[in-house]
Amino acid sequence: MAVRAVRGAVQLERDDAEHMKEQVGELLTAILERNDLVPDDLISVWFTATPDLHSDFPAAAARGLGITDVPLICAQELDVAGAMERVVRVLAHVETGLSKAGIAHVYLGAAGALRKDIAQ
């Protein structure tokens, strides 16, 4: 098994705690499914949110999915002029047999425009 990093992001329609939990939960589920991972494969997960998101911590969505024994941390993205609004990004460190090239980075909806080079 190797330690790999998996990226992902989702743009929220609005700053609402329930909407955030739903969308971030969908993102995490897609990351796990597309990479044939289970929560036990997670080493740690780093979440960032753009400065316009205040309603909840993105990590709360992971806890809601039952990811309870994995270190999680949230941080605020840089406030860059012209950047996409209402975005939650994920950087997950995982144990997997996949090669670096085999990792599926997941960018849902409009967030796919953020990393066209790695979004799958």
Side-chain angles (χ1 to χ4, degrees):
M1 289 288 186
V3 174
R4 302 282 185 225
V6 184
R7 290 289 317 270
V10 64
Q11 183 183 39
L12 305 184
E13 294 174 14
R14 62 192 174 279
D15 184 21
D16 172 78
E18 198 57 40
H19 180 62
M20 181 182 290
K21 286 179 187 172
E22 179 182 292
Q23 293 297 298
V24 175
E26 182 179 328
L27 175 61
L28 291 171
T29 298
I31 287 171
L32 292 173
E33 288 176 354
R34 293 183 194 179
N35 290 287
D36 197 26
L37 299 168
V38 296
D40 197 47
D41 296 326
L42 296 170
I43 296 168
S44 63
V45 183
W46 186 285
F47 298 89
T48 64
T50 51
D52 51 3
L53 294 174
H54 310 278
S55 62
D56 203 356
F57 295 100
R63 300 295 184 220
L65 291 175
I67 300 172
T68 57
D69 61 350
V70 175
L72 308 174
I73 191 165
C74 297
Q76 188 176 72
E77 280 287 328
L78 295 173
D79 191 8
V80 176
M84 187 179 286
E85 298 177 338
R86 299 177 317 281
V87 175
V88 175
R89 291 174 174 85
V90 173
L91 174 63
H93 300 97
V94 302
E95 290 181 315
T96 181
L98 294 172
S99 67
K100 287 182 185 178
I103 295 292
H105 303 282
V106 179
Y107 289 76
L108 299 179
L114 294 171
R115 290 297 306 266
K116 292 179 185 175
D117 57 324
I118 64 172
Q120 298 178 3

